[in-house]
Amino acid sequence: MRRAATAAAVLAPLIVFALTPTTASATSPYKGANTAAVQDDFNGDGYRDLAVGAPYAANGSVEEAGAVVVLYGSASSVSTTRRTVITQATSGIPGDPEEWDAFGTTVASADLDRDGYADLIVGTPREQVGDKESRGSTTVVWGGPSGLTGGGATISPPAGYGDGRTYCGFGMSLAAGDMNGDGAPEVTIGSRCEGASYTGPFTRTGKAASNYRDGRLGETRGVVMGDVNGDGRAERFWLVGPADDDLRGPVYVDNGPPTDDYLANWPIELPHADGHAGQIGDINGDGYGDLVTGIADDDSLMNATGAAHRGGEIQVLYGSAQGITVDQQPQVFHQDTAGVPGTAEDGDQFGQSLSVGDVNADGYADVLVGSPGEAVGTLKTAGTAVLLRGSASGLTATKAVGYTQNTAGVPGAAETGDQFGAVVHLADLNKDGKAETVVGVPTENSDGCLWTARGSASGPVLSGSLNLCGKSAGITVRSTKGYFGAALASPHVSN
């Protein structure tokens, strides 16, 4: 019943550029590719990189095969000239580009083989596997001193996954985090069928130390991992998606793998929480991660009652030494909340995407919320993104700011159907301690674009901010829009 967040990822003759920077530090791994500061550092130069899905990019004559473009970070942030384009036709990457695969619908990263370089994880939930339509696949592309040039491998579903079902959409959500404290990240992959869990480290064949399928909750469309109790280990939250009796989407805390005792380790429901996608960050600066979830689809989009607040909403649950307790009531924000820019209207999809990061280096993580269904004046689905501020007392709408392509200083102009805010991302790409603001505009022109603005003590700097678009980044577009900017490492709702 859920609408597609963005038709996701990303190629007839495709020219693949593998332009990677040469740096003094590239000869030795940058230690810390699994830390928050440099989690996306694929080439080990100490700067976070930006993976961008273009799921509807063409590959030769193959429509909607999909691509991922990695823009390498530097002291001057990212640009389209320092990039690598990856498709299923790229040497060393498993699979073949096929129509409607949408390689790059989701992207994530972690140092899966513990070599000091982040690795790229790519979800292709629409890929046909054998005779099973939209069974889905997940690919890892290995990082190294020259960036993502080390080939890749398939992360296969656990034995028995999906019980032969089609349309599972394996890879529709991706998350990574160190759950057991051994320094190797665990990976969780969500789908319409069931969850799949992998314990690191991974070998270069894509094989994890162990794995298991988790069908106890059925659909597990969203998954979030992060440390909410300060013990240095990630917790996992399952966001199963809208259910017949809960359109807002129940949220569960993982309680361990399935056992022979069916009820043992059963995931713990957070009865007051809702969400279809989410991310963890320390919003109130107390040292504990906080869970932010988005519920974008309201009654008008679900064609039912009991869905999100009109126009969509986000929720915040705060971590503590006890983690996130079952009695906690979430803090809720929507466009009818005092101080939040805009007005709640049917179909705005506020919360369709979200990202958590500190844009002004004040020690409190901020939250950027995408609302791609928002009208700008009479321009339907032109889209907007809203920045809410972290503080010692938690997330606040004080000094909240909204951005559209009609905002002074933002390049371009708002147009009907652009979907500005379909995906959003906060990440420090130039290593100045302040997160850049990145907003996907996947239906801008024929290829799709990203808006990027550097951070500052007062927030995103609009002067000199840039639009980076898919064709200039190396994707190919035929009769279907390329949807460059439809996926970033921060979550968006996908079906």
Side-chain angles (χ1 to χ4, degrees):
M1 296 178 69
R2 217 166 3 171
R3 288 159 56 102
T6 53
V10 9
L11 288 127
L14 169 71
I15 302 175
V16 176
F17 296 86
L19 305 180
T20 55
T22 57
T23 67
S25 62
T27 56
S28 60
Y30 184 88
K31 300 304 179 184
N34 287 327
T35 67
V38 289
Q39 183 175 349
D40 307 322
D41 184 9
F42 301 115
N43 59 0
D45 64 356
Y47 292 95
R48 293 186 72 165
D49 306 314
L50 185 64
V52 186
Y56 286 2
N59 192 308
S61 61
V62 182
E63 291 279 13
E64 301 182 30
V68 176
V69 180
V70 171
L71 307 176
Y72 292 100
S74 70
S76 56
S77 193
V78 294
S79 74
T80 57
T81 59
R82 303 175 68 253
R83 69 179 189 250
T84 297
V85 180
I86 301 165
T87 76
Q88 288 182 300
T90 300
S91 178
I93 303 304
D96 297 296
E98 298 168 311
E99 272 193 325
W100 310 308
D101 272 356
F103 177 83
T105 294
T106 53
V107 294
S109 79
D111 181 9
L112 299 185
D113 58 355
R114 289 194 300 187
D115 65 351
Y117 300 97
D119 307 305
L120 174 67
I121 309 167
V122 182
T124 313
R126 286 169 50 180
E127 181 151 39
Q128 180 169 322
V129 179
D131 61 352
K132 297 179 176 62
E133 292 186 34
S134 295
R135 173 78 165 179
S137 69
T138 300
T139 303
V140 57
V141 186
W142 304 110
S146 297
L148 294 164
T149 59
T154 296
I155 301 178
S156 299
Y161 165 85
D163 290 327
R165 293 170 57 189
T166 58
Y167 301 103
C168 284
F170 182 73
M172 69 186 305
S173 62
L174 307 168
D178 184 4
M179 298 180 67
N180 58 14
D182 66 352
E186 276 62 62
V187 172
T188 307
I189 300 175
S191 76
R192 298 184 197 91
C193 288
E194 56 188 330
S197 178
Y198 301 81
T199 299
F202 286 69
T203 68
R204 283 290 178 113
T205 64
K207 182 178 176 59
S210 63
N211 66 60
Y212 63 87
R213 49 190 283 242
D214 194 338
R216 291 173 293 182
L217 299 175
E219 290 184 288
T220 50
R221 298 191 181 194
V223 60
V224 189
M225 295 172 73
D227 182 9
V228 298
N229 62 6
D231 66 354
R233 301 182 182 190
E235 283 72 53
R236 176 165 53 203
F237 297 84
W238 297 107
L239 283 62
V240 302
D244 290 340
D245 58 348
D246 188 354
L247 296 178
R248 301 164 66 84
V251 178
Y252 293 86
V253 183
D254 188 86
N255 197 33
T259 69
D260 291 338
D261 181 349
Y262 187 68
L263 295 179
N265 296 346
W266 191 268
I268 300 168
E269 183 173 7
L270 299 177
H272 306 297
D274 310 286
H276 297 162
Q279 194 170 51
I280 290 171
D282 187 2
I283 292 169
N284 57 7
D286 64 355
Y288 302 104
D290 308 311
L291 174 64
V292 186
T293 63
I295 313 105
D297 287 354
D298 58 16
D299 290 357
S300 72
L301 296 178
M302 298 297 287
N303 204 22
T305 58
H309 184 277
R310 185 182 187 191
E313 65 184 82
I314 67 166
Q315 298 185 359
V316 186
L317 291 161
Y318 293 94
S320 68
Q322 293 75 43
I324 293 174
T325 57
V326 296
D327 60 345
Q328 186 176 160
Q329 295 280 348
Q331 187 182 16
V332 179
F333 292 85
H334 42 69
Q335 288 184 297
D336 282 337
T337 301
V340 175
T343 301
E345 299 166 311
D346 287 350
D348 280 348
Q349 292 186 294
F350 183 85
Q352 170 69 36
S353 60
L354 60 90
S355 187
V356 184
D358 188 355
V359 300
N360 57 1
D362 64 353
Y364 304 106
D366 309 300
V367 178
L368 184 65
V369 185
S371 182
E374 175 95 358
V376 177
T378 60
L379 304 171
K380 295 182 179 179
T381 64
T384 186
V386 172
L387 181 66
L388 303 174
R389 305 292 186 147
S391 72
S393 58
L395 195 63
T396 175
T398 302
K399 297 184 179 179
V401 184
Y403 304 97
T404 74
Q405 288 188 297
N406 280 356
T407 301
V410 175
E415 299 169 302
T416 297
D418 276 351
Q419 296 187 77
F420 183 90
V423 290
V424 296
H425 188 51
L426 295 174
D428 182 10
L429 304 172
N430 61 2
K431 209 165 61 171
D432 67 352
K434 307 172 189 71
E436 275 93 332
T437 294
V438 184
V439 177
V441 200
T443 47
E444 173 95 21
N445 304 323
S446 65
D447 49 350
C449 299
L450 292 176
W451 172 58
T452 66
R454 64 183 177 86
S456 75
S458 57
V461 178
L462 304 191
S463 176
S465 63
L466 301 172
N467 259 1
L468 308 176
C469 297
K471 290 180 180 178
S472 65
I475 74 163
T476 297
V477 177
R478 291 178 62 83
S479 59
T480 303
K481 290 191 175 191
Y483 274 69
F484 178 79
L488 298 166
S490 293
H492 64 283
V493 177
S494 175
N495 68 351

